[in-house]
Amino acid sequence: EDLEDPTFDPAYTEPGRILAEEEHEIMVELTDKELLKWEKERAKEMNELDMEEGEDEDEEEEEETSEEKKETDAEKNIDIEKGAGNQTKDTDDDEEPLEIGEPNSLSIEDLRRICGREPPYYPSVPGSDNPYRDGYFTEPPKKPRPSYLIYQGIFRSIFGKRNPDASLSEIMQILGDTWRGMTEEEQAPYIQIAKEEADQYEKEKALLERAQRPSEMWQPLRRCNAVLDRLCSDPFASVFLEPVDTSVYTDYLEMIDHPMDLGTVRQNLRNKKYQTPEAFARDVRKIWNNCKIFNQHGSAIWHVADYMSKQFERIYHAWVLDFRDRYLRWVNPAARPWEPSCRQCDGKCKTPDNQMVLCDHCDAMYGISCLKPKLKKIPKGVWHCPSCAPKVGKNHTVSILSAVTEHAARKRAEIGDVPMKTVKQKMFLVKWQSLGYEHCTWETQEDINDDSIIAEFRRLEGVTPEEPNLTEKELQGTISLAKTNAQDSSKETPFHTKLYAQTRAYQFSKFGQDIPQLLGAECGPNTLISTALSDEEHGIDRHTVRLDECHHYKLEANEILHRLIDLVSPEKRDYSQSGYHASSLPPLLNGEYDTILPVTCDGLLMNVGEVNGAVSFLGYRQLKSGAKGPAEVNGLVHDIGDVIIAINGESVVGKTFAEVIQILKKCTTFAYMRFAKKSSFIKNGAATSCGSLGKFLVEDLAKVFKEDRRRLFAKRSLALLEEQKEDDESDASAVVSRDSDEDSDGSASEDAVPDSDDEDLVYEQGERRKQSRRSEDEIFDDEDSSGGEKSSSES
């Protein structure tokens, strides 16, 4: 109540520190198994008391039964006489014939009464709105009869009795003449009956069409109705059948936002307000949740709601959700697990109740002689039917869907006050924040919900916890690691363990002591043999080293060597073989790549197969220990489906699968392979770099690149020659103009001195241009001579 007060300080509920730790005796409720055991013991005690009281009452009952027998014998004689009289009256009523008048005098009511005495032309099944969907009818509906056939079916036997000497053809002639002699008004009742049959035929066709849909076979809302009937039939459901009386419980609507009850759910189900079973389940769950919210936890009504909730979840899952994908017709007995008869033969076996077994999940009943294989006796404990066993038989996580858990909840609801037991619980004295020491309380570790302050208290007090401070995840990891080590201990000693053992053995040798036998076994075969020899020298009779053990250690050392090669495979490759692989093959084309795969003690650890005439990569394999191989860890092969086109510098394009496998078997440490992407692999690999067309393709590309390069150099040379020619012409014109200027200047004044600095400058610029052009031509000639080699390498 204080927590709902807005002026309440929440710091009062936060633990400050721990002051003490003690074990207290507290009262707790019995668990489900303990409650069932307590119930059996209580039932046994009640049976013993009943047996003692029954012995005293047997004598009195014997005297009373003798007098009652005399009275019942007299009453039976009177009842037999009355029953015989009533039976004669009933037989007379049943044998009373139905009077049928002339054909032209019958009304529509008379025809319906006559047709009602016969089986219906379109029969119906009680409780089924579509017998074709439910599997009761397997044939399509019969076509409707015309009015004349209805008339003929009624009066053919009557006219046969009237004319006993007439043949069948004569009787049919009489019927036809009578029908043609009737007026339209006299034929109207027969026509009306025929029209009703035609309308019913259209309805039957529509039902047959709907029955072909797979979604119509589930019928979830019909199953929800069975679930609701089961809940309402339970004696504890009486308080949930009607809405809560808010005039008595005035604060109900303040705590509950959406009231709900089983009566309202049934009304909504009849009015088809639920379109899906989830909507039905949502409203039913509201009933139990509202009860738990409004009432105190652990009260009698709270346990009733808890029991009803468990029962609903179990049968809703078993009767509705489990049949979503089973596609069973309603006529199949297994589709109706709620009916109290054998679900194997629909009750035809008439097995007595003491020979029936009940499923713990769906409550389906089966006779022990109807099951396959048959049961010799009623099994003890939990039993699941053939439909539920594959789903919940070995699944321990669905205990809420078990009738055993539900039975324990029912006992709590019946008892009301659940019996308690005394247990020892670790309690902590908590000093709360913002409160004084007078308000300290004893709390459990779950209520404190703060392991850090408990650990701090134990650290300060020097208290060692009884259990390790591990989380659930850490605990499970430790257990799994211990199991793995226990399983692997019999196979081989781990490599790091051997290194540690050798370090310890070195310490023994350093101080001149003998290495222990077990420690020498962990160090490896050499240390083990030397240890055995030293023991023989000292006359110690210990385990002898047999030849098969030495052979075992040699194999073990061989495997360790392979493991080391796997670990250092990226650094210890045979680069000479890798260079040979690259140099002996043409350059890579688009969609190709080279890779180096290490050969482990278990092989290449890759699956290959023949796909469309080529050997392709189909996936990785794992080591014997279950770990991934080095090729898979590093992703050396790009995609599944990539085609192998070369191995160790040898092309495998066009070779068979067996030939490729033989080449792979020759690889001892590494396999140098070239792959082609499956998207770029065409024409059976002929267009790859290792194919017949791929080699010529590389040569053609080199030739084209060489010609393009020569053509480019030639264009550049022509452009430079044209520029040089233009510069020469401009220089010549400049010299001619300069000579004319000098002549004109000499005639004007003989004493003038020429400008020698300008002439030297022009001459030097011309020489520089000529020298630069010569150097460029030499460069172009050198590149032209080496252009073919460069083009091939660049391609």
PDB file of all heavy atoms in Angstrom, residues 576-599:
ATOM      1  N   SER A 576      58.570 -23.142 -54.322  1.00  0.00           N
ATOM      2  CA  SER A 576      59.101 -23.571 -55.617  1.00  0.00           C
ATOM      3  C   SER A 576      58.027 -24.279 -56.426  1.00  0.00           C
ATOM      4  O   SER A 576      57.872 -24.052 -57.631  1.00  0.00           O
ATOM      5  CB  SER A 576      60.292 -24.507 -55.378  1.00  0.00           C
ATOM      6  OG  SER A 576      59.863 -25.661 -54.651  1.00  0.00           O
ATOM      7  N   GLN A 577      57.242 -25.136 -55.737  1.00  0.00           N
ATOM      8  CA  GLN A 577      56.134 -25.801 -56.434  1.00  0.00           C
ATOM      9  C   GLN A 577      55.074 -24.782 -56.854  1.00  0.00           C
ATOM     10  O   GLN A 577      54.494 -24.890 -57.915  1.00  0.00           O
ATOM     11  CB  GLN A 577      55.507 -26.864 -55.519  1.00  0.00           C
ATOM     12  CG  GLN A 577      54.348 -27.637 -56.133  1.00  0.00           C
ATOM     13  CD  GLN A 577      54.810 -28.571 -57.212  1.00  0.00           C
ATOM     14  OE1 GLN A 577      55.992 -28.860 -57.318  1.00  0.00           O
ATOM     15  NE2 GLN A 577      53.898 -29.021 -58.057  1.00  0.00           N
ATOM     16  N   SER A 578      54.824 -23.773 -56.001  1.00  0.00           N
ATOM     17  CA  SER A 578      53.853 -22.736 -56.349  1.00  0.00           C
ATOM     18  C   SER A 578      54.312 -21.957 -57.568  1.00  0.00           C
ATOM     19  O   SER A 578      53.520 -21.635 -58.463  1.00  0.00           O
ATOM     20  CB  SER A 578      53.658 -21.795 -55.159  1.00  0.00           C
ATOM     21  OG  SER A 578      52.786 -20.749 -55.500  1.00  0.00           O
ATOM     22  N   GLY A 579      55.626 -21.621 -57.658  1.00  0.00           N
ATOM     23  CA  GLY A 579      56.113 -20.908 -58.833  1.00  0.00           C
ATOM     24  C   GLY A 579      56.014 -21.754 -60.089  1.00  0.00           C
ATOM     25  O   GLY A 579      55.697 -21.255 -61.171  1.00  0.00           O
ATOM     26  N   TYR A 580      56.282 -23.070 -59.950  1.00  0.00           N
ATOM     27  CA  TYR A 580      56.147 -23.947 -61.111  1.00  0.00           C
ATOM     28  C   TYR A 580      54.694 -23.990 -61.580  1.00  0.00           C
ATOM     29  O   TYR A 580      54.418 -23.987 -62.781  1.00  0.00           O
ATOM     30  CB  TYR A 580      56.638 -25.350 -60.735  1.00  0.00           C
ATOM     31  CG  TYR A 580      56.243 -26.412 -61.737  1.00  0.00           C
ATOM     32  CD1 TYR A 580      56.879 -26.495 -62.979  1.00  0.00           C
ATOM     33  CD2 TYR A 580      55.216 -27.305 -61.458  1.00  0.00           C
ATOM     34  CE1 TYR A 580      56.501 -27.457 -63.898  1.00  0.00           C
ATOM     35  CE2 TYR A 580      54.844 -28.260 -62.369  1.00  0.00           C
ATOM     36  CZ  TYR A 580      55.497 -28.348 -63.598  1.00  0.00           C
ATOM     37  OH  TYR A 580      55.113 -29.290 -64.503  1.00  0.00           O
ATOM     38  N   HIS A 581      53.761 -24.039 -60.628  1.00  0.00           N
ATOM     39  CA  HIS A 581      52.335 -24.075 -60.973  1.00  0.00           C
ATOM     40  C   HIS A 581      51.927 -22.822 -61.752  1.00  0.00           C
ATOM     41  O   HIS A 581      51.189 -22.899 -62.737  1.00  0.00           O
ATOM     42  CB  HIS A 581      51.503 -24.193 -59.696  1.00  0.00           C
ATOM     43  CG  HIS A 581      50.031 -24.008 -59.895  1.00  0.00           C
ATOM     44  ND1 HIS A 581      49.236 -24.963 -60.471  1.00  0.00           N
ATOM     45  CD2 HIS A 581      49.220 -22.948 -59.611  1.00  0.00           C
ATOM     46  CE1 HIS A 581      47.998 -24.516 -60.538  1.00  0.00           C
ATOM     47  NE2 HIS A 581      47.962 -23.302 -60.014  1.00  0.00           N
ATOM     48  N   ALA A 582      52.437 -21.644 -61.323  1.00  0.00           N
ATOM     49  CA  ALA A 582      52.049 -20.398 -61.985  1.00  0.00           C
ATOM     50  C   ALA A 582      52.766 -20.221 -63.321  1.00  0.00           C
ATOM     51  O   ALA A 582      52.188 -19.703 -64.288  1.00  0.00           O
ATOM     52  CB  ALA A 582      52.339 -19.214 -61.071  1.00  0.00           C
ATOM     53  N   SER A 583      54.041 -20.672 -63.408  1.00  0.00           N
ATOM     54  CA  SER A 583      54.799 -20.436 -64.635  1.00  0.00           C
ATOM     55  C   SER A 583      54.424 -21.395 -65.750  1.00  0.00           C
ATOM     56  O   SER A 583      54.567 -21.066 -66.938  1.00  0.00           O
ATOM     57  CB  SER A 583      56.301 -20.554 -64.330  1.00  0.00           C
ATOM     58  OG  SER A 583      56.602 -21.872 -63.868  1.00  0.00           O
ATOM     59  N   SER A 584      53.960 -22.588 -65.402  1.00  0.00           N
ATOM     60  CA  SER A 584      53.637 -23.568 -66.430  1.00  0.00           C
ATOM     61  C   SER A 584      52.241 -23.400 -66.996  1.00  0.00           C
ATOM     62  O   SER A 584      51.857 -24.149 -67.893  1.00  0.00           O
ATOM     63  CB  SER A 584      53.778 -24.976 -65.850  1.00  0.00           C
ATOM     64  OG  SER A 584      52.893 -25.148 -64.760  1.00  0.00           O
ATOM     65  N   LEU A 585      51.463 -22.489 -66.478  1.00  0.00           N
ATOM     66  CA  LEU A 585      50.099 -22.268 -66.942  1.00  0.00           C
ATOM     67  C   LEU A 585      49.989 -20.905 -67.594  1.00  0.00           C
ATOM     68  O   LEU A 585      50.755 -19.986 -67.276  1.00  0.00           O
ATOM     69  CB  LEU A 585      49.104 -22.364 -65.776  1.00  0.00           C
ATOM     70  CG  LEU A 585      48.968 -23.724 -65.093  1.00  0.00           C
ATOM     71  CD1 LEU A 585      48.020 -23.619 -63.914  1.00  0.00           C
ATOM     72  CD2 LEU A 585      48.464 -24.781 -66.073  1.00  0.00           C
ATOM     73  N   PRO A 586      49.026 -20.730 -68.500  1.00  0.00           N
ATOM     74  CA  PRO A 586      48.798 -19.407 -69.100  1.00  0.00           C
ATOM     75  C   PRO A 586      48.329 -18.424 -68.036  1.00  0.00           C
ATOM     76  O   PRO A 586      47.939 -18.811 -66.927  1.00  0.00           O
ATOM     77  CB  PRO A 586      47.717 -19.678 -70.152  1.00  0.00           C
ATOM     78  CG  PRO A 586      47.745 -21.145 -70.390  1.00  0.00           C
ATOM     79  CD  PRO A 586      48.187 -21.772 -69.109  1.00  0.00           C
ATOM     80  N   PRO A 587      48.362 -17.133 -68.352  1.00  0.00           N
ATOM     81  CA  PRO A 587      47.868 -16.143 -67.376  1.00  0.00           C
ATOM     82  C   PRO A 587      46.392 -16.348 -67.064  1.00  0.00           C
ATOM     83  O   PRO A 587      45.640 -16.945 -67.839  1.00  0.00           O
ATOM     84  CB  PRO A 587      48.125 -14.802 -68.079  1.00  0.00           C
ATOM     85  CG  PRO A 587      49.136 -15.093 -69.124  1.00  0.00           C
ATOM     86  CD  PRO A 587      48.926 -16.506 -69.553  1.00  0.00           C
ATOM     87  N   LEU A 588      45.976 -15.856 -65.897  1.00  0.00           N
ATOM     88  CA  LEU A 588      44.587 -15.971 -65.467  1.00  0.00           C
ATOM     89  C   LEU A 588      43.676 -15.135 -66.348  1.00  0.00           C
ATOM     90  O   LEU A 588      44.031 -14.015 -66.743  1.00  0.00           O
ATOM     91  CB  LEU A 588      44.442 -15.514 -64.013  1.00  0.00           C
ATOM     92  CG  LEU A 588      45.066 -16.396 -62.941  1.00  0.00           C
ATOM     93  CD1 LEU A 588      45.054 -15.677 -61.609  1.00  0.00           C
ATOM     94  CD2 LEU A 588      44.315 -17.709 -62.838  1.00  0.00           C
ATOM     95  N   LEU A 589      42.512 -15.688 -66.670  1.00  0.00           N
ATOM     96  CA  LEU A 589      41.483 -14.937 -67.374  1.00  0.00           C
ATOM     97  C   LEU A 589      40.427 -14.474 -66.375  1.00  0.00           C
ATOM     98  O   LEU A 589      40.473 -14.803 -65.182  1.00  0.00           O
ATOM     99  CB  LEU A 589      40.850 -15.817 -68.466  1.00  0.00           C
ATOM    100  CG  LEU A 589      41.772 -16.247 -69.603  1.00  0.00           C
ATOM    101  CD1 LEU A 589      41.018 -17.107 -70.601  1.00  0.00           C
ATOM    102  CD2 LEU A 589      42.385 -15.038 -70.314  1.00  0.00           C
ATOM    103  N   ASN A 590      39.467 -13.730 -66.869  1.00  0.00           N
ATOM    104  CA  ASN A 590      38.402 -13.210 -66.014  1.00  0.00           C
ATOM    105  C   ASN A 590      37.589 -14.364 -65.440  1.00  0.00           C
ATOM    106  O   ASN A 590      37.184 -15.277 -66.172  1.00  0.00           O
ATOM    107  CB  ASN A 590      37.508 -12.275 -66.830  1.00  0.00           C
ATOM    108  CG  ASN A 590      36.478 -11.588 -65.951  1.00  0.00           C
ATOM    109  OD1 ASN A 590      36.681 -11.454 -64.751  1.00  0.00           O
ATOM    110  ND2 ASN A 590      35.383 -11.151 -66.546  1.00  0.00           N
ATOM    111  N   GLY A 591      37.325 -14.330 -64.119  1.00  0.00           N
ATOM    112  CA  GLY A 591      36.545 -15.375 -63.464  1.00  0.00           C
ATOM    113  C   GLY A 591      37.376 -16.551 -62.994  1.00  0.00           C
ATOM    114  O   GLY A 591      36.808 -17.581 -62.624  1.00  0.00           O
ATOM    115  N   GLU A 592      38.710 -16.470 -62.994  1.00  0.00           N
ATOM    116  CA  GLU A 592      39.584 -17.554 -62.561  1.00  0.00           C
ATOM    117  C   GLU A 592      40.445 -17.081 -61.386  1.00  0.00           C
ATOM    118  O   GLU A 592      40.720 -15.883 -61.245  1.00  0.00           O
ATOM    119  CB  GLU A 592      40.485 -18.020 -63.705  1.00  0.00           C
ATOM    120  CG  GLU A 592      39.707 -18.579 -64.886  1.00  0.00           C
ATOM    121  CD  GLU A 592      40.615 -18.986 -66.037  1.00  0.00           C
ATOM    122  OE1 GLU A 592      41.852 -18.828 -65.916  1.00  0.00           O
ATOM    123  OE2 GLU A 592      40.077 -19.453 -67.053  1.00  0.00           O
ATOM    124  N   TYR A 593      40.887 -18.057 -60.568  1.00  0.00           N
ATOM    125  CA  TYR A 593      41.749 -17.719 -59.442  1.00  0.00           C
ATOM    126  C   TYR A 593      42.551 -18.949 -59.049  1.00  0.00           C
ATOM    127  O   TYR A 593      42.112 -20.091 -59.234  1.00  0.00           O
ATOM    128  CB  TYR A 593      40.950 -17.209 -58.245  1.00  0.00           C
ATOM    129  CG  TYR A 593      39.942 -18.188 -57.697  1.00  0.00           C
ATOM    130  CD1 TYR A 593      40.261 -19.047 -56.649  1.00  0.00           C
ATOM    131  CD2 TYR A 593      38.648 -18.259 -58.221  1.00  0.00           C
ATOM    132  CE1 TYR A 593      39.338 -19.943 -56.141  1.00  0.00           C
ATOM    133  CE2 TYR A 593      37.719 -19.147 -57.728  1.00  0.00           C
ATOM    134  CZ  TYR A 593      38.075 -19.989 -56.686  1.00  0.00           C
ATOM    135  OH  TYR A 593      37.155 -20.862 -56.178  1.00  0.00           O
ATOM    136  N   ASP A 594      43.773 -18.709 -58.533  1.00  0.00           N
ATOM    137  CA  ASP A 594      44.654 -19.762 -58.026  1.00  0.00           C
ATOM    138  C   ASP A 594      44.556 -19.818 -56.506  1.00  0.00           C
ATOM    139  O   ASP A 594      44.377 -18.793 -55.847  1.00  0.00           O
ATOM    140  CB  ASP A 594      46.103 -19.497 -58.436  1.00  0.00           C
ATOM    141  CG  ASP A 594      46.332 -19.731 -59.924  1.00  0.00           C
ATOM    142  OD1 ASP A 594      45.576 -20.513 -60.516  1.00  0.00           O
ATOM    143  OD2 ASP A 594      47.258 -19.113 -60.500  1.00  0.00           O
ATOM    144  N   THR A 595      44.689 -21.023 -55.949  1.00  0.00           N
ATOM    145  CA  THR A 595      44.652 -21.200 -54.501  1.00  0.00           C
ATOM    146  C   THR A 595      45.512 -22.384 -54.122  1.00  0.00           C
ATOM    147  O   THR A 595      45.793 -23.263 -54.958  1.00  0.00           O
ATOM    148  CB  THR A 595      43.214 -21.412 -53.997  1.00  0.00           C
ATOM    149  OG1 THR A 595      43.224 -21.456 -52.570  1.00  0.00           O
ATOM    150  CG2 THR A 595      42.630 -22.694 -54.528  1.00  0.00           C
ATOM    151  N   ILE A 596      45.952 -22.405 -52.876  1.00  0.00           N
ATOM    152  CA  ILE A 596      46.811 -23.473 -52.352  1.00  0.00           C
ATOM    153  C   ILE A 596      46.076 -24.121 -51.185  1.00  0.00           C
ATOM    154  O   ILE A 596      45.790 -23.473 -50.173  1.00  0.00           O
ATOM    155  CB  ILE A 596      48.169 -22.912 -51.896  1.00  0.00           C
ATOM    156  CG1 ILE A 596      48.848 -22.163 -53.042  1.00  0.00           C
ATOM    157  CG2 ILE A 596      49.059 -24.043 -51.396  1.00  0.00           C
ATOM    158  CD1 ILE A 596      50.143 -21.504 -52.647  1.00  0.00           C
ATOM    159  N   LEU A 597      45.763 -25.416 -51.311  1.00  0.00           N
ATOM    160  CA  LEU A 597      45.012 -26.140 -50.298  1.00  0.00           C
ATOM    161  C   LEU A 597      45.947 -27.066 -49.543  1.00  0.00           C
ATOM    162  O   LEU A 597      46.646 -27.892 -50.164  1.00  0.00           O
ATOM    163  CB  LEU A 597      43.885 -26.957 -50.939  1.00  0.00           C
ATOM    164  CG  LEU A 597      42.821 -26.160 -51.682  1.00  0.00           C
ATOM    165  CD1 LEU A 597      41.841 -27.103 -52.348  1.00  0.00           C
ATOM    166  CD2 LEU A 597      42.092 -25.225 -50.746  1.00  0.00           C
ATOM    167  N   PRO A 598      46.019 -26.988 -48.196  1.00  0.00           N
ATOM    168  CA  PRO A 598      46.871 -27.897 -47.424  1.00  0.00           C
ATOM    169  C   PRO A 598      46.259 -29.292 -47.345  1.00  0.00           C
ATOM    170  O   PRO A 598      45.043 -29.448 -47.223  1.00  0.00           O
ATOM    171  CB  PRO A 598      46.942 -27.234 -46.053  1.00  0.00           C
ATOM    172  CG  PRO A 598      45.693 -26.440 -45.953  1.00  0.00           C
ATOM    173  CD  PRO A 598      45.368 -25.976 -47.345  1.00  0.00           C
ATOM    174  N   VAL A 599      47.116 -30.310 -47.398  1.00  0.00           N
ATOM    175  CA  VAL A 599      46.686 -31.700 -47.273  1.00  0.00           C
ATOM    176  C   VAL A 599      46.879 -32.109 -45.818  1.00  0.00           C
ATOM    177  O   VAL A 599      48.003 -32.206 -45.333  1.00  0.00           O
ATOM    178  CB  VAL A 599      47.483 -32.611 -48.217  1.00  0.00           C
ATOM    179  CG1 VAL A 599      46.994 -34.056 -48.088  1.00  0.00           C
ATOM    180  CG2 VAL A 599      47.350 -32.138 -49.655  1.00  0.00           C
TER     181      VAL A 599
END
